Amino acid sequence: MRLAGKVAIVTGASRGIGRAVAVALAREGAAVVINYASNGEAALETLAKIGEAGGRAVVCQADVSDWEACESLVRSALDNFGKVDILVNNAGVTRDNIVARMKKDEWQAVLDTNLTGAFNLVRAAMRPLLRQKSGGRIINISSVVGLAGGVGQANYAAAKAGLIGLTKSLARELAGRQITVNAVAPGFIDTEMTAALPEELKKNMLAQVPLGRAGTPEEVAQLVAFLAADAAGYITGQVIAIDGGLVMQ
Amino acid sequence: MDIYGKVKALISEQLGVEEGELTMDTSFEDLDADSLDIVELVMALEEEFNLEISDDEVEKIKTVGDVVRYIEAHA
C-alpha cells in the first residue's frame, strides 16, 4: 500500500481512465473523492468497485469548469477525509470538428473543462496543500494529441498541450514546497471516449501504434499511482507518454 | 502576547528567520521572501487573526511594520 494515509481527488472519475485511476489509488490505500459532472450512476459504480476492493471513497458532483464547484470539491475532501494530498486532473470532454467548421462553443467547452478545469481545482486546493506543509502530488492527464496534434481535435489538442504548460509552470512554482507536478499523456486507450470514434479511424490509428494494440485504463492508472507515490518524489515537471510507442519524444 | 509579538513569531516560523532579527523596519525583500512565501504568510496571518487580507492590500505590505499596522487597524 504505497498511498496509505493519503487523500486524493480524481476528476472525471465516473468512467474510463478516471475510474481506473480512482480504483488504483484506493487499492494503494488512498481515500478518494470520486468527482463526476453528469453521470452519477457511473460514479456510484466506481464507488462500488472501490468498496469491493476494501478502499475508502466518496462521490462528489462538480463541473470542474465552474470555479465555485471546484471549491466545493476540495471542501468535500477536507470534510470527509480532513486533508488533500493528491490531485488528478482527468476530467475531459471532446467536441471534435475540423477548425474550418468548428463552432466557438465547441472550442470553448473543451478548453473550459479540459484546461481551465485543472487550473480551477489546483487553485481551489492551493491553500490546504500549502498549509499542510506535507508536500503533495498534482497529476494532469494530458494526451499524445497534445504533443502531436490531431485532425478534428484542435480544441482538444490545444487544451491538452495547455495542460503541459500548466504542469511545467506549476512544477516550478511548487517545487520548493515538495509538491510535484507531472503530466501523463495517454495514446489510444480503450474507453467510451475512443469507442465513439469511427471504426475506420480506429483501425488507422491502431496501425500506427508500434505495440499494435490499444492501451487499457488500468495501465494508465498504474502510471498515475506510481507518480502519486513517495517513490516518485524526484520526478517533477515531466510529461510521460503512455501510448504503445506512438509518439517517441 | 501583543500583535507585534505574534506577527514576529509567525514570520519567524513561516520564513525560518530568528525572531530577534526582526524589527518594524525589516522588509520582506531583506528576508529573501518570494511571492509564494508571502502567500503562505498571508494565509497564516489570516488564520491567526481571523481576518481576510485582499490582494490589493497584500501588494502594499513591504515590511514587518506594515503587517503590524494592518493587523492593528483590522483585527
Side-chain angles (χ1 to χ4, degrees), chain A residues 73-132:
Chain A
L73 184 50
V74 171
R75 214 167 313 123
S76 167
L78 298 178
D79 290 349
N80 285 289
F81 304 123
K83 60 177 187 150
V84 57
D85 304 292
I86 301 160
L87 305 178
V88 181
N89 286 303
N90 167 78
V93 297
T94 53
R95 297 279 189 281
D96 288 2
N97 211 341
I98 57 169
V99 172
R101 290 171 162 276
M102 189 174 287
K103 310 268 192 305
K104 186 173 184 296
D105 64 327
E106 290 172 335
W107 171 266
Q108 199 61 48
V110 171
L111 267 289
D112 285 350
T113 295
N114 300 19
L115 179 57
T116 307
F119 166 76
N120 287 345
L121 180 63
V122 168
R123 186 66 178 79
M126 192 60 78
R127 183 178 278 254
L129 271 176
L130 291 175
R131 192 176 43 204
Q132 286 162 202

Side-chain angles (χ1 to χ4, degrees), chain A residues 30 124 139-140 230:
Chain A
I139 299 154
N140 296 320
D230 288 345

